[in-house]
Amino acid sequence: VYPGSLNKNVQEYVALYKDLLPVKTLKEIELTSVTKLVVTDTRQRTRIGMFARQLDKLTQIHLYDHHPDSDNDLTAEWSLVENIGATTTLLLEKIFADNIAISPFEATLFAMGIYEDTGCLTFESTTFRDVDVLHRLWQVGVNLRVVNEFLNRPLNEEQRDILDELLAATEYHELRGVRVGVASTDNGDYVSGLGLLTHKLLELEDVDMMFTVVSMENKVYVVGRSRVEYIDVVKILRSFGGKGHRSAASALVRELEVEEVRDNLVISLYREIMPAKTAGEMMSAPARTIAPDTTIDEARELMLRYGHSGFPVAEGQALLGIISRRDLDKASHHGLGHAPVKGYMSRKPVTVPSEMPMREVQHMMIENDVGRLPVMVGETIIGIITRTDVLRNLEGIKPLQQSKQKNLPAVGDDLTVLINERLPQKMQSLLFHIGQTADHEDVKVHAVGGFIRDLILEMPTHDLDLVVEPLAIPFAEQLQQMLGGQLITHEQFGTATLTLLDGSQIDLVTARHEFYAYPAAMPEVEQSSLKNDLFRRDFTINTLAVALNSPHFGQLIDFFAGLCDVQDGLIRVLYNLSFVEDPLRVLRAIRFEQRFAFQLEETTQSLLENAVQTRVLEKVSKERLYDEFSLIFHEEEIPKILDRIFTLGVSISLFPGVRYGAAVRKRLFAVQEMLLWVEQAWRDASPLPDALYLAALMLEMPFQEARHLCRRLRLPREVSRRLLAALTVVPHVLAQLVTNESPQPSQLDQWFRGQPVEALLLLQVASDNSRIWKSVTHYWEKIRLQKTEINGHDLEALGFAPGPTFQEILTAVRAAKLDGLVTNREEELAFARARMQHEPVLREEN
């Protein structure tokens, strides 16, 4: 029985297929005889119509639902409630589990139920389980002509009229980086389908959220739809009694006019919407750039190694242009590998300011079809936004805590459950469709590497790497036909990169074997098998693979006991020359060891120590070495990684001249605590972690040696500038503060003004003296914010001619104000006049 009204398209379907549907009308129900109630797709008392009057007399209530909890929910003896795309999926899973046969007619009906509830599998609430059930329905038989007939019903005349009115009446609100549309109208008669109209408005308008407020039959209907995962629409509509999902909710308001409801809604929006993420918050910093004189071949090597689709070209932090992978490939094809990239770069790259909301960043990336956007403050590049950053924001994935439990899956296990539980819903569906396409094309496809490692460890991952047998490029072309997007292929390496329409990226490689002609060389590749392809990887924990073909979808493959090393927490190389052929694996081993709280396996540590003694790292170009080294400063356990670099002797190739001991080690961990403190206390400070950590390492080094080490490490210009400034200031100021217990504010201003924040933080790190901490904090939080009330124009107005002395006088006025000698504009002017006339000015005490 239908306890309430039906959507227009459902009414039409029921009218046509009534003879095949065993559904009674309300009039046919003898209410007093009902003892058991099975409720689907709701739990709310207000949604079950007249049956709510019989609740006290019922002996059983069974519930099937996928909506969030509410205060109005029924109490049931049995319930199946899960966060899933469609309640139909829950019912079908039981039907399939009990081997209940269904007909093609029923399969088509059920498919329409799933499509309707999931927006044809596009809503964020859609899960892999919805896709899996739909797949099984297709095997029974789904009539797409019927699906299209009743899912895509045209709007009737009344709906089109309301849609036109809402379009014309839409107001736009920019709320903390979130763009919201609010459309309202007074219709009079009731017209169904306001949820559909709101969804269409969301599709038509360039907004993150859309709300419609429509008065019909003396009631005001409010509907909200959202693309923004981190904002709860139900919460926004809570004051109106709203119900629904996080991204779709509605409310019915009585005894208020439509204008009042609209105004109250806007107030609720301002109250509930939190600031959107900005480019500055989501960017990777510092940006990995290349110099304008870098050759085409060198840039290609870096791009292939790091998997980038482009590099900013910069001198220091000044952005000159962008060089793309396509530009490099074309230049190399024409024999220009020796030429510098500055001759072929795009000189007007698309950039974004640090304060730009991520919604706009995403639009710019898609509209300009670029995978990397430099983040700028003025003319200075401060970071880079990549597709991964955009996807991390888009998918709303929060960092997960590393799993400490030991009941990990075994070789051959089906990881489908882990895939459903731990991966974003879109990734679940993507893996399923890739497997289907592989079956159709008769190729074998496996997801491999860090993707599987992080899935097992319950850590976030965004990179999807696929190994294809026999050939990756033809399969990538088939995937492009199915999924759309842009495909870039590299015939010489047998690799392809498919960038989907939403900006996500899939890297595909032909199963291959690599050969290194000499230590630190780029590998030569040849077609091979999955096992050989996994053997070429750096560590066993990165050799895990999962089959995507049916009937083995989700099966875990482990040729090299990588799962055991994940279980035991070990970093192990696959062969003895691993560190020789790719010396950067030395740094990678240390990073992984500390990131996962693992240990170097005994033989691996011995091989690493031997590689260190033979100084294989010095055979790597300094630029490549710093690029790998700089990844350390994106990790959480930076002090532990740096400490390990010294204890393992790797520092001989990285930090010659740094004397490492207990004091330096203590400073490194103090830097970590200081950066966490600054994040909360000094929100307008933006210290560079690499500059501060390296300054803490080099504090006792002679200045010339420190400057030479910065050049040796090929540090970015801004990192070097801040680092060296801190090393210059700190020893001098420490000595001054030790001898002067109560420095005047003007003295602190003289020492610290114009210095990078790293200098102030290093002072606090380098000393346990609370007085020094107090002085530095007082400067940052109070003194630096002080401004004089007069300027050079005021000095001119006093009759003095502009000249070099103006700055000296204004500096003296600032010092006097900081020390309390002048307190207002008149006193500042008097002080300045006296100084210009070389007359002393004394403040009169009250």
Side-chain angles (χ1 to χ4, degrees):
V1 62
Y2 311 122
S5 61
L6 301 176
N7 287 345
K8 182 68 174 176
N9 59 338
V10 181
Q11 289 178 16
E12 294 174 354
Y13 180 87
V14 170
L16 192 61
Y17 288 96
K18 183 174 293 187
D19 294 340
L20 297 175
L21 297 172
V23 180
K24 293 183 180 297
T25 66
L26 288 171
K27 294 180 180 179
E28 295 177 278
I29 302 297
E30 179 59 45
L31 192 62
T32 57
S33 67
V34 176
T35 59
K36 178 181 178 180
L37 203 61
V38 180
V39 184
T40 63
D41 207 36
T42 187
R43 284 174 284 163
Q44 297 176 23
R45 290 177 175 83
T46 55
R47 296 287 303 277
I48 62 172
M50 68 180 191
F51 294 98
R53 302 198 299 268
Q54 193 71 6
L55 291 176
D56 294 338
K57 300 178 182 179
L58 295 175
T59 58
Q60 290 187 68
I61 297 178
H62 290 190
L63 301 176
Y64 294 84
D65 193 22
H66 70 144
H67 290 89
D69 297 339
S70 76
D71 297 334
N72 191 37
D73 286 348
L74 296 164
T75 301
E77 284 70 29
W78 184 91
S79 63
L80 179 59
V81 179
E82 296 191 35
N83 184 16
I84 199 168
T87 303
T88 308
T89 298
L90 295 175
L91 296 165
L92 281 166
E93 286 177 336
K94 289 186 65 64
I95 289 173
F96 291 140
D98 292 342
N99 295 314
I100 300 172
I102 60 175
S103 67
F105 163 75
E106 292 167 329
T108 301
L109 172 61
F110 298 150
M112 287 194 292
I114 295 175
Y115 281 132
E116 180 81 25
D117 235 359
T118 63
C120 294
L121 305 181
T122 63
F123 292 169
E124 288 189 358
S125 56
T126 308
T127 68
F128 178 82
R129 291 162 62 187
D130 300 294
V131 178
D132 185 50
V133 164
L134 193 58
H135 170 62
R136 298 186 67 172
L137 292 176
W138 272 62
Q139 292 176 320
V140 174
V142 174
N143 190 323
L144 287 181
R145 292 185 64 182
V146 175
V147 171
N148 285 320
E149 175 69 22
F150 291 100
L151 282 187
N152 301 313
R153 300 300 293 160
L155 300 180
N156 59 37
E157 184 176 351
E158 293 84 359
Q159 289 173 328
R160 288 196 299 270
D161 289 343
I162 290 185
L163 182 62
D164 290 341
E165 291 175 16
L166 291 172
L167 275 170
T170 300
E171 300 174 353
Y172 303 96
H173 301 267
E174 287 285 348
L175 306 174
R176 304 181 180 96
V178 179
R179 185 169 171 81
V180 184
V182 178
S184 61
T185 187
D186 192 337
N187 190 63
D189 296 332
Y190 179 79
V191 176
S192 64
L194 185 57
L196 172 64
L197 298 180
T198 307
H199 188 76
K200 285 188 175 294
L201 286 171
L202 184 66
E203 293 177 337
L204 291 171
E205 301 287 354
D206 181 22
V207 293
D208 299 305
M209 307 178 74
M210 173 59 71
F211 290 86
T212 54
V213 183
V214 181
S215 175
M216 296 185 286
E217 293 185 342
N218 299 319
K219 305 182 191 71
V220 178
Y221 295 82
V222 186
V223 177
R225 295 290 186 267
S226 172
R227 311 178 202 267
V228 184
E229 185 274 339
Y230 71 91
I231 299 175
D232 190 343
V233 179
V234 176
K235 204 170 181 182
I236 293 172
L237 296 184
R238 180 177 295 163
S239 60
F240 304 105
K243 305 295 182 183
H245 297 284
R246 188 176 185 86
S247 59
S250 61
L252 176 61
V253 184
R254 306 176 194 272
E255 300 179 356
L256 285 179
E257 297 297 324
V258 66
E259 292 82 5
E260 295 177 88
V261 176
R262 181 196 60 208
D263 293 344
N264 290 338
L265 172 62
V266 173
I267 292 172
S268 181
L269 290 170
Y270 275 90
R271 182 176 62 246
E272 297 294 343
I273 291 180
M274 301 303 292
K277 294 290 186 182
T278 63
E281 293 176 278
M282 297 298 295
M283 70 183 183
S284 300
R288 179 178 288 124
T289 62
I290 58 176
D293 294 328
T294 304
T295 67
I296 296 293
D297 287 342
E298 290 170 343
R300 290 185 76 221
E301 179 182 339
L302 290 171
M303 201 166 286
L304 288 169
R305 173 168 294 276
Y306 296 110
H308 293 342
S309 59
F311 271 123
V313 181
E315 284 187 333
Q317 295 301 105
L319 182 65
L320 303 180
I322 289 280
I323 190 77
S324 70
R325 182 180 295 175
R326 183 179 301 172
D327 297 329
L328 294 175
D329 289 345
K330 287 183 178 179
S332 179
H333 176 71
H334 291 293
L336 299 171
H338 63 284
V341 297
K342 63 184 177 183
Y344 304 93
M345 67 184 182
S346 299
R347 294 185 178 273
K348 293 184 178 180
V350 181
T351 63
V352 295
S354 61
E355 67 273 11
M356 177 177 283
M358 285 300 294
R359 173 183 60 83
E360 296 181 30
V361 173
Q362 179 180 328
H363 287 175
M364 288 191 67
M365 189 170 284
I366 294 171
E367 290 171 7
N368 293 280
D369 193 20
V370 293
R372 302 169 69 80
L373 291 170
V375 182
M376 310 294 290
V377 172
E379 299 298 318
T380 300
I381 179 172
I382 62 168
I384 198 86
I385 286 283
T386 66
R387 288 190 180 94
T388 299
D389 300 319
V390 171
L391 291 175
R392 190 170 73 245
N393 179 72
L394 179 66
E395 294 168 0
I397 301 173
K398 298 177 176 62
L400 301 173
Q401 295 297 320
Q402 179 181 331
S403 173
K404 296 296 183 182
Q405 51 87 25
K406 290 296 183 178
N407 55 337
L408 298 177
V411 177
D413 278 1
D414 185 351
L415 299 192
T416 302
V417 173
L418 294 187
I419 290 172
N420 292 342
E421 290 177 350
R422 299 176 183 177
L423 291 182
Q425 293 157 0
K426 290 182 180 179
M427 181 63 76
Q428 297 171 27
S429 300
L430 180 61
L431 292 175
F432 176 76
H433 287 304
I434 289 172
Q436 280 193 321
T437 306
D439 292 338
H440 184 268
E441 297 300 319
D442 196 25
V443 300
K444 292 182 180 180
V445 178
H446 294 84
V448 300
F451 180 85
I452 308 304
R453 175 202 69 212
D454 292 342
L455 172 66
I456 292 172
L457 288 173
E458 295 188 64
M459 302 187 75
T461 182
H462 302 280
D463 301 323
L464 178 56
D465 294 320
L466 304 177
V467 172
V468 183
E469 298 177 275
L471 297 172
I473 293 178
F475 179 67
E477 292 169 347
Q478 292 299 319
L479 274 186
Q480 184 190 28
Q481 289 184 20
M482 183 187 75
L483 302 173
Q486 180 184 11
L487 181 65
I488 299 177
T489 61
H490 300 277
E491 294 286 350
Q492 66 270 42
F493 296 107
T495 64
T497 298
L498 177 60
T499 303
L500 302 181
L501 297 177
D502 63 0
S504 60
Q505 191 166 293
I506 306 171
D507 289 319
L508 304 95
V509 301
T510 297
R512 56 184 179 168
H513 172 73
E514 291 184 347
F515 172 73
Y516 293 82
Y518 54 87
M522 291 297 292
E524 300 174 12
V525 300
E526 59 183 36
Q527 186 177 335
S528 187
S529 63
L530 173 66
K531 184 173 183 179
N532 282 337
D533 188 273
L534 295 175
F535 183 74
R536 70 185 176 83
R537 298 179 183 258
D538 46 14
F539 309 111
T540 56
I541 62 171
N542 294 331
T543 62
L544 301 173
V546 164
L548 299 184
N549 298 78
S550 62
H552 305 294
F553 182 91
Q555 182 181 25
L556 178 61
I557 297 170
D558 180 14
F559 292 113
F560 307 107
L563 196 62
C564 291
D565 287 337
V566 171
Q567 175 93 17
D568 297 335
L570 294 176
I571 304 295
R572 185 196 307 268
V573 292
L574 282 88
Y575 53 96
N576 290 350
L577 291 177
S578 181
F579 291 123
V580 175
E581 292 187 343
D582 187 357
L584 293 178
R585 288 174 179 169
V586 170
L587 295 178
R588 218 168 295 146
I590 296 172
R591 279 199 298 113
F592 286 160
E593 180 191 43
Q594 299 306 317
R595 178 194 297 175
F596 303 123
F598 285 6
Q599 291 181 329
L600 293 175
E601 180 269 334
E602 183 177 356
T603 300
T604 298
Q605 180 162 333
S606 176
L607 293 170
L608 185 148
E609 290 171 347
N610 181 70
V612 169
Q613 291 173 5
T614 56
R615 301 197 174 190
V616 294
L617 273 172
E618 296 177 15
K619 297 178 181 179
V620 179
S621 73
K622 293 297 186 295
E623 289 77 14
R624 287 183 57 207
L625 181 61
Y626 178 73
D627 281 343
E628 183 69 32
F629 173 67
S630 66
L631 295 176
I632 292 171
F633 302 104
H634 296 279
E635 299 283 343
E636 290 187 5
E637 300 296 343
I638 300 173
K640 292 182 179 179
I641 296 173
L642 293 174
D643 180 62
R644 194 72 166 133
I645 283 174
F646 279 92
T647 57
L648 287 172
V650 182
S651 55
I652 193 171
S653 297
L654 290 174
F655 306 116
V658 173
R659 295 184 179 181
Y660 191 72
V664 178
R665 185 178 188 276
K666 180 181 178 182
R667 277 204 302 268
L668 290 178
F669 284 89
V671 168
Q672 185 179 44
E673 295 178 5
M674 181 63 63
L675 288 172
L676 291 172
W677 176 81
V678 165
E679 191 175 324
Q680 299 299 321
W682 292 2
R683 292 183 177 272
D684 56 339
S686 301
L688 298 178
D690 39 1
L692 188 55
Y693 276 108
L694 293 175
L697 282 176
M698 301 181 197
L699 186 57
E700 279 85 15
M701 290 184 72
F703 181 80
Q704 293 300 329
E705 290 185 24
R707 185 164 63 179
H708 176 73
L709 182 54
C710 290
R711 293 172 179 169
R712 176 188 174 93
L713 289 173
R714 297 296 196 273
L715 299 183
R717 181 175 297 177
E718 181 63 13
V719 174
S720 293
R721 185 189 70 79
R722 296 195 189 189
L723 187 161
L724 294 173
L727 295 182
T728 302
V729 171
V730 169
H732 168 71
V733 174
L734 270 178
Q736 295 288 337
L737 288 172
V738 169
T739 57
N740 187 348
E741 294 188 0
S742 301
Q744 290 292 317
S746 60
Q747 186 67 59
L748 295 175
D749 191 57
Q750 180 182 344
W751 291 336
F752 297 145
R753 192 166 182 80
Q755 297 299 334
V757 69
E758 289 81 4
L760 279 70
L761 299 179
L762 186 60
L763 266 171
Q764 293 168 296
V765 166
S767 173
D768 294 328
N769 191 319
S770 61
R771 182 166 47 78
I772 292 177
W773 180 290
K774 182 178 179 181
S775 295
V776 172
T777 304
H778 181 57
Y779 167 76
W780 182 265
E781 296 179 357
K782 301 291 184 182
I783 296 174
R784 74 182 177 94
L785 302 176
Q786 293 288 326
K787 294 182 179 179
T788 59
E789 297 186 45
I790 67 172
N791 54 35
H793 296 299
D794 295 306
L795 299 184
E796 285 189 77
L798 291 175
F800 299 105
T805 57
F806 268 32
Q807 187 58 49
E808 297 175 10
I809 296 301
L810 291 174
T811 299
V813 171
R814 174 178 172 80
K817 181 170 185 175
L818 293 175
D819 293 340
L821 300 178
V822 296
T823 59
N824 54 46
R825 176 179 171 80
E826 289 70 24
E827 292 181 1
E828 288 182 18
L829 288 170
F831 185 93
R833 184 185 297 109
R835 288 297 297 262
M836 293 296 288
Q837 297 172 347
H838 302 288
E839 294 179 5
V841 173
L842 298 177
R843 178 185 172 194
E844 294 184 3
E845 300 293 336
N846 292 329

